[in-house]
Amino acid sequence: MSAGRSNALRLMMNSAPKSGRQLIFPAHMAEIDARTIAGGTPGIVLMERAGQAVVTVLRGIWPRRPVLILAGPGNNGGDGWVIARLLKEAGWPVTIASDWPAGALKGDAKLACEASGITPVPLEEADFSAAPLIVDALFGAGLARSIEGKLAEVLRRAAASGGPVLAVDLPSGLCGTRGEVLGDSLKADVTVTFGAAKPGHLLAEGRCYSGQLHVADIGLDLCEGEEDALWNHPLLWWDRMPLPPSAAHKYARGGLLVVGGPRHQGGAARLTAKAAAVTGAGAVTLAVSAQAADIYAASIDAIMLRTVRDESELADFAASDKIAAIAIGPGLGTDEKAAAWLGAVLSAGKPLLLDADALTLLAKRAERLAGCPEGSVLTPHEGEFKRLFSDVSGSPLERAEEAARKSGQTVLLKGAATVISAPGKTPVINTRSSPYLATAGSGDVLSGIIAGWLAQGVDSQAAAGAGAWMHGESSLQYGPGLTADTLWQKIPNALHAIGARTDD
Ligand SMILES: NC(=O)C1=CN([C@@H]2O[C@H](COP(=O)(O)OP(=O)(O)OC[C@H]3O[C@@H](n4cnc5c(N)ncnc54)[C@H](O)[C@@H]3O)[C@@H](O)[C@H]2O)[C@@H](O)CC1
Ligand SMILES: Nc1ncnc2c1ncn2[C@@H]1O[C@H](COP(=O)(O)OP(=O)(O)O)[C@@H](O)[C@H]1O
Ligand SMILES: [K+]
């Protein structure tokens, strides 16, 4: 990517540099914390910066109002004490509720508590009746077990109060690794975390519990490349996307073969084909049987239609120079003929986008997975994933990584947070999306976007990352009332949003 294009993109996206997309597991963050302290920045300085960062965000959102801070026994609580002191100094009415007064604290948290000059009330006596702004500084990265008993009760009372909630680092009770709620947690309107977001902010219940996420730079010694995962953003892949050269012709922009299926399932493959064409594949051809051709022909103006007699004719066409990549699965069917057609494209040696029925067929004949050409992308939803990788368990992040390792292909595991894992590469989590994507055929459009990039010669990991992001961006551009039919029509808006244009 030229410097001009890169800068223009950054300006347009108003985004942080790539390092701002790092995701770090809590245990790893504790190591980074220790490394930073060993490097000469005292822990209390980090805690002070963390508290200051929270106060800056808090004051940027809420005008002066009563604040109730719930402070825990560790450094998350320590941050709470810094926040209490800073707000008090600024003249805010602050109460702190904690079962761990200075005598029960250690290290930096003890220092922060003592410096505040505030006496806490016990958690049981925390008064939520005036719906104060609640600062949740009970547990963060050090959450070690489920929240239960008295602590769960205080979180329930806080939730019932109706007051807004700001979580320090992580909503207490939320697992920063997997995004699951351990026992109980408190939904935050805003979460301020330090150094880097944690995968748990994005996965499972994390996105909903974290609310608006702010990542504050507090000077941690965090290196480029040491992330456990990356948060999807055009900065991760846009420099690998081709722009059409001025002398472009349609096949040079990428020939894509989309394999169709029986008459009654025609919509799925058509959506895939249309999404691929809009994404920029120059020549998209739908291959169908003669019996289904009239149905497919009904609404595919910009897509070429080719009738194929049998799998051998399909294999010949798939192997031709005009085809750079193949999408198969949406609307394919799962009968013998579908299996034979899948076999025909597997042997073509072109990058494949495998989705829907193709994944179901592969689950029945697992040995075929090993025969997938290198650089292919599998896009299972949870159900397809379970069929295909029945022995793989864990969080979506762990499962996508294991599936990529086993299959040797890029695996995109769909969900409210979508995880993309390519063998040997850092996994990527996409949250650029809206729940309006939960509509029939939306996955077929995603397949088309990814296949559209594969046909243009983009590597599988970048194609999948771009696909997930553009799919979500298209849904955000449309908003309520979205259907798969309108989703693909918003793809140009997603391209414009990331600064796509032809080279001058
Ligand atoms: N680099 C960083 O990550 C920084 C971290 N800081 C803060 O430090 C926090 C991490 O501090 P800690 O490691 O002390 O961890 P926490 O303060 O999150 O919690 C640890 C304490 O909670 C107890 N505990 C854990 N789960 C419990 C449960 N379910 N019920 C009852 N008690 C439980 C533990 O026994 C321990 O005493 C971060 O979340 C952040 O807020 C900041 O102060 C500065 C920099
Ligand atoms: N709640 C949600 N929030 C964001 N994205 C979602 C949500 N639910 C589904 N999606 C996305 O919508 C798409 C649905 O695809 P899929 O399950 O294959 O549906 P279909 O088979 O109907 O096309 C996936 O990309 C998924 O990530
Ligand atoms: K917290």
Side-chain angles (χ1 to χ4, degrees):
M1 170 159 38
S2 72
R5 189 172 159 203
S6 165
N7 288 339
L9 174 58
R10 282 196 186 166
L11 281 175
M12 206 170 308
M13 302 301 298
N14 189 24
S15 61
K18 188 169 165 179
S19 57
R21 311 308 296 179
Q22 290 175 299
L23 297 169
I24 305 279
F25 290 132
H28 184 180
M29 191 51 99
E31 288 169 24
I32 293 166
D33 198 16
R35 186 165 81 212
T36 309
I37 294 169
T41 310
I44 189 67
V45 171
L46 292 177
M47 190 173 276
E48 190 69 25
R49 288 180 190 160
Q52 182 64 66
V54 171
V55 169
T56 302
V57 171
L58 183 154
R59 295 188 66 180
I61 297 174
W62 290 284
R64 183 182 314 224
R65 57 181 292 161
V67 178
L68 173 58
I69 298 176
L70 309 176
N75 287 334
N76 195 251
D79 295 346
W81 285 103
V82 173
I83 296 161
R85 194 196 81 238
L86 293 172
L87 287 176
K88 190 178 88 169
E89 284 168 4
W92 284 49
V94 181
T95 311
I96 190 149
S98 179
D99 289 350
W100 300 273
L105 296 174
K106 291 194 290 254
D108 299 327
K110 185 181 175 72
L111 294 177
C113 173
E114 285 168 348
S116 75
I118 304 175
T119 307
V121 299
L123 285 170
E124 258 172 337
E125 290 172 28
D127 181 6
F128 297 101
S129 58
L133 166 57
I134 297 159
V135 174
D136 166 12
L138 277 173
F139 308 104
L143 184 76
R145 52 193 179 275
S146 289
I147 302 248
E148 274 153 19
K150 220 163 76 166
L151 290 165
E153 178 57 27
V154 86
L155 293 185
R156 278 196 289 272
R157 285 174 56 222
S161 75
V165 178
L166 181 149
V168 178
D169 201 15
L170 281 156
S172 298
L174 185 75
C175 166
T177 302
R178 292 166 161 239
E180 291 156 1
V181 169
L182 300 181
D184 218 322
S185 186
L186 178 60
K187 274 187 189 154
D189 298 285
V190 175
T191 295
V192 183
T193 191
F194 312 117
K198 319 295 176 285
H201 287 124
L202 312 182
L203 297 171
E205 290 145 301
R207 205 172 154 192
C208 166
Y209 272 75
S210 301
Q212 192 188 103
L213 184 61
H214 294 253
V215 181
D217 179 2
I218 59 165
L220 293 168
D221 182 13
L222 179 57
C223 304
E224 183 91 16
E226 77 164 310
E227 59 273 1
D228 300 301
L230 285 160
W231 195 359
N232 199 19
H233 187 278
L235 285 164
L236 304 187
W237 36 260
W238 193 240
D239 59 351
R240 288 184 267 164
M241 311 318 245
L243 298 177
S246 45
H249 64 84
K250 65 188 178 200
Y251 287 108
R253 288 192 67 198
L256 177 72
L257 165 60
V258 179
V259 180
R263 291 176 70 85
H264 64 280
Q265 280 178 258
R270 283 203 300 261
L271 284 169
T272 300
K274 288 173 183 177
V278 177
T279 299
V284 181
T285 305
L286 250 166
V288 296
S289 63
Q291 298 92 307
D294 58 334
I295 293 285
Y296 278 87
S299 73
I300 51 161
D301 302 335
I303 308 298
M304 293 178 276
L305 193 67
R306 187 177 178 112
T307 52
V308 285
R309 256 195 323 274
D310 54 23
E311 57 271 25
S312 129
E313 202 177 316
L314 179 66
D316 287 346
F317 182 55
S320 79
D321 289 348
K322 286 185 172 171
I323 301 303
I326 302 165
I328 185 163
L332 177 68
T334 53
D335 60 6
E336 281 303 307
K337 181 172 156 190
W341 283 32
L342 176 61
V345 301
L346 282 171
S347 61
K350 309 278 171 73
L352 297 178
L353 180 290
L354 294 153
D355 184 27
D357 292 342
L359 300 175
T360 302
L361 286 167
L362 283 173
K364 288 186 198 158
R365 291 186 55 185
E367 77 284 358
R368 279 193 160 177
L369 197 51
C372 285
E374 205 179 312
S376 297
V377 181
L378 283 65
T379 58
H381 58 48
E382 280 290 349
E384 288 153 354
F385 189 96
K386 283 196 189 94
R387 281 198 283 272
L388 198 52
F389 301 105
S390 50
D391 53 342
V392 176
S393 59
S395 73
L397 196 58
E398 291 160 343
R399 283 185 290 136
E401 282 200 274
E402 178 61 8
R405 200 190 54 72
K406 280 179 99 122
S407 65
Q409 308 295 349
T410 293
V411 173
L412 178 148
L413 175 54
K414 293 186 267 201
T418 287
V419 181
I420 299 143
S421 185
K425 301 271 175 59
T426 305
V428 172
I429 301 176
N430 183 75
T431 58
R432 186 80 186 168
S433 61
S434 84
Y436 295 115
L437 281 174
T439 178
S442 131
D444 306 326
V445 174
L446 174 67
S447 290
I449 305 174
I450 298 171
W453 287 120
L454 288 177
Q456 293 175 80
V458 172
D459 70 87
S460 58
Q461 191 201 27
W469 198 94
M470 287 173 54
H471 187 239
E473 176 65 20
S474 305
S475 75
L476 290 165
Q477 296 259 349
Y478 197 91
L482 184 77
T483 65
D485 287 319
T486 42
L487 178 59
W488 69 266
Q489 295 175 42
K490 284 286 171 190
I491 293 170
N493 300 54
L495 284 165
H496 291 303
I498 49 181
R501 55 193 163 77
T502 53
D503 267 338
D504 297 324

